[in-house]
Amino acid sequence: MTHLAKLVADPKLFAARLRVGAVEPAQLRRSVSGIVERGEKSAREVEEIGVVQQRIADWSVHDASLRLSRRDLRLGCQAVLHPPLPPAGDEAVLDGLLREVERNERRAAFFAVIDAYLDGFDDANETIMTLACKLEAMVSRWPWREKDDWPAKISQFSLLDPVKAPDVLANRILAGEKGALKVLQDAGLETAGRRFGGLVEAAFRSACHLVTRMKGQDAVTGQNVLIEWARDEGGRFGYQRAWPDFVEASLTPWELEEPSEAHKSVLLKMFERFGGGDPRTAPQRWRSVMDRSPGAYAVLMRWLTRASVLQFLDIVDRLMPDHASKLMWSYRRAFWMSYLLSDGSSPGIDAAWVAFGDDGAQLARKIARETGDKSFTAFGKQTDKSAQHAALILQIGDLTIVDWSHSAKYQVWKRGDKGVPALFKHKYNYKELYSAPIQESHVAPKTFSWQKNLAKTIEQRNFYSAKPSWRPRSV
């Protein structure tokens, strides 16, 4: 998983739910865009929303006995939560507006208020809670037509109960075999505006919290449901403010166990498609996840570390020029695989990155094209060694280790040493990766000499008095 696309185009979407003074429901934005496209007259109406809202506020105080014009009633209901003067922000103004809707039985205006509630939903917003309570009372009194299905949907899914509704929807979607879209259709929430509005986003977040606590096959099933649910019409991630919840649900179940390689691949490709950005090269896009759920972030880094080490080993295997080189390399491969597969009882690799020469970089890109595995495109470049040389840059505890392919010496820096190379850079020069205080050649007079010395350094104890995690073995 690399070169993950951008998570969001607008960083404001990561902000906390906006207060009523700043609420701008997505459905209203879409409606506004449509109105503008329909002509100058409608565009002028949009520009006058603030004027209309002020007129409604004045009317509720001074002229409530008179009727609002159809135009003012329509725009006022559409913009009931919209700045600059949302009618829902003043309970007296809201009461007057809803009385007018009910007195004149304006169906379009009534449904516009329901849409505004569904889209601007926020169970932590007192204004939304008040609006839901008033709408529930109106629903019980409204002169519904025989074919109207809203009363049944509102009752079945508790749509006007801000506390229950998200959990009801989340449990129905996760427990059923219908799929998210069919459940949302049953609830009257399948249109673009409602499907990605505030209530369904809250339900999605609730579902994420449920999946976070799942294990094994239940987690696999739940995560697949979330992935399908989250896709918008263009295949992108549709609930941008719920990104941290979604990442946590995708990774936390795997803190103590590993999913199948097939499901892991699904998750990594999903992060690519949904635009998380590579956390190693674009950490700012993952800051909310790192701060909120370090365990989930650690799972992702574990997977990426494994991918980088295996990528390095596979590419170098192909670049070895002769049998003697391949034999020497086989022992190095066994050494690092032992640390990569550490069970936690001994040191393991905390993070890894690769710096290829031109040949390795070209081969990695070729493999990525042929296999569709974009993980092969995640690497840095080393510019001064030969085109075939490659460097594996590792972090193990307080150590930074660079192990070179071919006959170059391995390098070890301790925390605080001068010139410790940073991981996850796009380009490295030779001096950065070949100037450590501790160096040793892989071609040693005594069999396994370099492995013993490096294992002892890594484990910071005498090799002969304690068994290291790496053991010499045939490959």
Side-chain angles (χ1 to χ4, degrees):
M1 177 211 71
T2 53
H3 290 271
L4 305 171
K6 293 182 179 179
L7 170 62
V8 286
D10 183 359
K12 294 180 182 178
L13 295 175
F14 272 124
R17 275 287 183 184
L18 301 175
R19 298 183 180 180
V20 66
V23 169
E24 185 180 356
Q27 178 61 30
L28 181 61
R29 291 195 297 272
R30 286 185 284 270
S31 298
V32 167
S33 297
I35 290 172
V36 171
E37 291 174 359
R38 287 193 290 272
E40 292 184 1
K41 179 179 178 181
S42 294
R44 286 196 298 272
E45 289 180 348
V46 174
E47 294 170 1
E48 294 172 3
I49 283 178
V51 175
V52 171
Q53 289 175 331
Q54 183 63 63
R55 191 154 54 239
I56 290 172
D58 294 340
W59 164 84
S60 70
V61 175
H62 304 295
D63 305 311
S65 60
L66 303 177
R67 288 192 174 187
L68 281 175
S69 69
R70 280 194 172 192
R71 175 178 175 278
D72 283 1
L73 188 61
R74 170 172 54 84
L75 289 178
C77 288
Q78 288 177 345
V80 70
L81 293 169
H82 190 271
L85 297 171
D90 185 318
E91 191 167 358
V93 176
L94 178 62
D95 286 340
L97 184 66
L98 296 181
R99 276 197 304 269
E100 189 72 1
V101 172
E102 198 166 6
R103 180 170 65 179
N104 293 284
E105 297 183 1
R106 299 296 185 197
R107 286 172 62 86
F110 184 36
F111 295 150
V113 178
I114 293 177
D115 266 344
Y117 159 78
L118 296 174
D119 195 44
F121 179 90
D122 181 354
D123 59 4
N125 188 310
E126 292 184 4
T127 300
I128 297 293
M129 304 287 278
T130 299
L131 179 59
C133 184
K134 294 181 184 299
L135 285 174
E136 189 171 33
M138 285 183 69
V139 164
S140 66
R141 300 189 300 265
W142 190 260
W144 297 101
R145 297 174 183 174
E146 185 177 348
K147 294 184 178 180
D148 285 338
D149 55 8
W150 264 117
K153 294 179 186 298
I154 289 171
S155 175
Q156 183 181 0
F157 293 92
S158 302
L159 296 180
L160 295 178
D161 185 333
V163 176
K164 292 183 179 180
D167 291 341
V168 169
L169 286 166
N171 281 292
R172 294 284 182 89
I173 290 173
L174 289 176
E177 298 180 356
K178 293 181 175 180
L181 188 58
K182 183 60 171 66
V183 174
L184 294 178
Q185 184 178 3
D186 291 345
L189 301 170
E190 77 278 12
T191 62
R194 294 171 186 164
R195 181 185 169 195
F196 295 103
L199 177 57
V200 180
E201 184 180 85
F204 180 79
R205 187 179 289 111
S206 176
C208 287
H209 297 166
L210 293 172
V211 173
T212 297
R213 298 191 291 272
M214 293 179 179
K215 302 297 180 184
Q217 185 56 44
D218 288 341
V220 171
T221 301
Q223 288 166 354
N224 286 335
V225 170
L226 291 179
I227 291 170
E228 186 60 34
W229 182 357
R231 289 192 182 101
D232 66 12
E233 294 84 349
R236 298 174 296 270
F237 186 69
Y239 303 102
Q240 294 163 341
R241 284 177 289 198
W243 175 252
D245 306 87
F246 178 65
V247 172
E248 190 172 16
S250 300
L251 298 173
T252 299
W254 312 118
E255 285 185 312
L256 300 178
E257 61 178 315
E258 288 288 303
S260 68
E261 289 301 316
H263 186 63
K264 187 186 297 185
S265 177
V266 167
L267 294 176
L268 295 178
K269 288 180 179 178
M270 171 271 300
F271 285 131
E272 166 74 25
R273 185 169 58 250
F274 284 172
D278 190 318
R280 297 170 297 181
T281 57
Q284 68 280 4
R285 301 201 179 279
W286 292 82
R287 194 70 62 192
S288 59
V289 176
M290 286 187 278
D291 293 342
R292 169 175 161 165
S293 185
Y297 183 77
V299 171
L300 181 58
M301 290 302 295
R302 184 176 79 221
W303 293 352
L304 293 174
T305 295
R306 184 174 185 272
S308 286
V309 174
L310 293 177
Q311 174 201 39
F312 175 78
L313 298 174
D314 290 343
I315 295 296
V316 173
D317 272 349
R318 303 190 188 199
L319 294 176
M320 283 293 127
D322 53 45
H323 176 73
S325 297
K326 287 183 181 295
L327 181 61
M328 178 186 68
W329 177 248
S330 65
Y331 289 106
R332 232 180 297 176
R333 183 184 184 103
F335 181 87
W336 290 122
M337 284 299 294
S338 294
Y339 284 100
L340 183 65
L341 301 177
S342 171
D343 61 4
S345 62
S346 55
I349 299 172
D350 298 314
W353 190 240
V354 179
F356 287 125
D358 288 340
D359 288 359
Q362 184 177 358
L363 181 55
R365 295 189 187 103
K366 180 175 182 290
I367 295 172
R369 289 193 301 270
E370 292 174 350
T371 64
D373 185 352
K374 292 188 177 181
S375 69
F376 277 93
T377 63
F379 56 82
K381 289 285 298 295
Q382 62 84 12
T383 56
D384 299 325
K385 269 284 194 181
S386 77
Q388 287 194 330
H389 273 80
L392 177 62
I393 310 167
L394 303 168
Q395 185 175 5
I396 301 178
D398 287 340
L399 302 179
T400 298
I401 301 171
V402 175
D403 195 15
W404 285 86
S405 65
H406 299 74
S407 59
K409 297 178 181 179
Y410 71 74
Q411 312 283 309
V412 182
W413 291 262
K414 296 179 181 179
R415 188 189 301 274
D417 284 344
K418 183 178 180 181
V420 178
L423 276 70
F424 315 136
K425 290 175 59 176
H426 294 294
K427 186 175 290 188
Y428 296 87
N429 61 49
Y430 176 68
K431 185 177 180 180
E432 286 181 274
L433 303 179
Y434 213 80
S435 59
I438 301 174
Q439 303 182 12
E440 185 176 356
S441 171
H442 299 90
V443 183
K446 187 177 179 181
T447 305
F448 303 126
S449 174
W450 73 265
Q451 291 101 318
K452 292 177 181 178
N453 292 337
L454 184 51
K456 186 164 53 177
T457 299
I458 290 173
E459 302 185 23
Q460 297 182 333
R461 60 179 183 242
N462 187 281
F463 178 82
Y464 295 102
S465 63
K467 293 182 179 180
S469 60
W470 175 84
R471 298 293 297 164
R473 64 188 184 206
S474 59
V475 290

